[in-house]
Amino acid sequence: MANANHNPNGLISYGPNENCTLTPGPSYCPAKVGVYEYRPSLAANSVFITLFGVALITHLVLGIRYKTWAFLFAIFWGCASEMIGYGGRVLMWGNPFSFTGFLMQIICITLGPAFYSAAIYLTLSKIIIFLGPQHARFSPKLYYWVFIPCDILSLILQAVGGALSSVSSGSSAAAVDVAIAGLSFQVFTLCVFIALGIEFSVRYIRAQRSQPRKTPLPTSFKIFVAFLSLSITCILIRCAYRIDELSDGYDGPLIHNEPLFIGLEGVMSVLAVYALVVAHPGPVFGRSDANMYESDVTAPSGGRTEKVEPGISATQQSV
């Protein structure tokens, strides 16, 4: 570990047997001999805990209202993981040598955005059904049957990497390699997802040239897609940063740069989860148990019957 050989009086600054403290006395160690070489910011980490807590409550309300249980499950555990992780960094503010705090944040903060990715994967099939399954290369269900297992695999790899770090007291290069493999696979999966989403968009646009929709796409749907894209972009930026951060293990320069961590990990994750508040599938696609996948939906309007596009109400189409 970084600085392991520079601890005063032979004290241990990292691992399950750490005995350094910031308290003046025989066990005193400066923060610079800790794994991060700094005390995590109390203010920044407290703000992140609050923001993820508010996001969790907001998604909980939306999920219950629209009964989007799978989407809610993914977002709930993503926000909960983030809160626990930043709680670990608060512990490290009090004691930058806290091995418990380090494990809490290295595991939970790493895992959080993978849950957001899972929530995003669930929405592609809804978009395809809404715009027209005939434009897709594959069955809508196939998208989440492929991408969700891939996301679970990336979660497992990242969790195993964190677990190996705890067993080895952070000295295992294999632990870092496994974590990087999980992050890299998450990026790969996201890129394939984006590629298929773009391909579907191209096929849909081409089809509209010969046979345009009877009604224009509602503004609410366009906003939904824009913020979904923003969330995906933020997660990609965050994952690319974490791969680079861990590329040199716990001795690399990026892992000792807190402002960069705050901006490219914390801020990107916050933007991703709040973008998914706007890009929540409930308001656009309705309740998960509603019969919203019919090719046409008959809705009364002022004493007459009219056809509306699948997936949204007649009121939403007028937006």
Side-chain angles (χ1 to χ4, degrees):
M1 288 301 300
N3 300 318
N5 297 322
H6 303 286
N7 298 348
N9 303 321
L11 295 171
I12 302 172
S13 62
Y14 178 82
N17 298 317
E18 52 87 12
N19 54 11
C20 279
T21 69
L22 289 179
T23 306
S27 298
Y28 170 78
C29 296
K32 67 180 181 180
V33 303
V35 62
Y36 285 123
E37 300 183 2
Y38 63 79
R39 287 180 75 184
S41 168
L42 176 62
N45 292 300
S46 297
V47 167
F48 284 135
I49 291 172
T50 302
L51 289 174
F52 285 115
V54 172
L56 188 153
I57 293 171
T58 303
H59 276 286
L60 190 63
V61 171
L62 289 171
I64 293 174
R65 177 182 178 184
Y66 293 103
K67 298 183 179 181
T68 51
W69 305 123
F71 188 88
L72 174 60
F73 177 87
I75 295 293
F76 178 90
W77 286 111
C79 289
S81 295
E82 300 274 17
M83 293 173 69
I84 294 170
Y86 284 100
R89 289 183 71 84
V90 170
L91 286 180
M92 294 187 73
W93 170 81
N95 175 17
F97 318 108
S98 171
F99 188 59
T100 299
F102 174 78
L103 290 183
M104 286 171 62
Q105 61 92 42
I106 198 67
I107 295 174
C108 294
I109 291 178
T110 301
L111 294 181
F115 286 103
Y116 306 151
S117 297
I120 290 170
Y121 298 148
L122 290 168
T123 63
L124 182 58
S125 62
K126 291 182 179 292
I127 292 173
I128 290 172
I129 292 169
F130 176 77
L131 294 178
Q134 67 274 18
H135 307 304
R137 186 177 296 275
F138 308 106
S139 166
K141 289 184 178 181
L142 183 64
Y143 288 92
Y144 58 76
W145 280 115
V146 170
F147 287 108
I148 295 300
C150 287
D151 200 58
I152 292 173
L153 178 58
S154 72
L155 272 168
I156 292 172
L157 289 172
Q158 292 172 58
V160 169
L164 289 175
S165 289
S166 66
V167 172
S168 65
S169 297
S171 62
S172 172
V176 175
D177 291 341
V178 171
I180 290 177
L183 286 163
S184 300
F185 190 67
Q186 184 180 353
V187 170
F188 171 76
T189 305
L190 270 172
C191 288
V192 173
F193 175 84
I194 292 170
L196 289 176
I198 292 174
E199 186 212 25
F200 172 78
S201 299
V202 170
R203 292 165 67 95
Y204 173 78
I205 292 171
R206 287 175 177 173
Q208 292 305 297
R209 293 173 181 171
S210 58
Q211 189 176 2
R213 291 171 63 94
K214 297 178 182 178
T215 58
L217 289 173
T219 302
S220 59
F221 179 78
K222 295 176 182 178
I223 293 173
F224 166 84
V225 172
F227 277 86
L228 188 68
S229 301
L230 173 61
S231 184
I232 294 172
T233 301
C234 290
I235 293 173
L236 275 174
I237 292 172
R238 173 264 176 190
C239 288
Y241 158 72
R242 290 308 296 271
I243 291 170
D244 194 19
E245 179 198 38
L246 292 174
S247 61
D248 293 320
Y250 298 140
D251 295 314
L254 291 183
I255 206 166
H256 307 307
N257 189 327
E258 185 178 28
L260 206 59
F261 176 87
I262 290 172
L264 296 181
E265 169 64 55
V267 173
M268 288 298 106
S269 295
V270 166
L271 287 175
V273 75
Y274 276 92
L276 290 176
V277 171
V278 183
H280 192 283
V284 175
F285 302 115
R287 292 174 178 247
S288 61
D289 58 348
N291 187 22
M292 62 183 181
Y293 299 145
E294 299 292 338
S295 57
D296 286 306
V297 179
T298 302
S301 178
R304 60 190 177 85
T305 298
E306 62 182 18
K307 294 287 186 178
V308 300
E309 294 294 337
I312 62 172
S313 65
T315 302
Q316 286 175 307
Q317 288 197 59
S318 64
V319 176

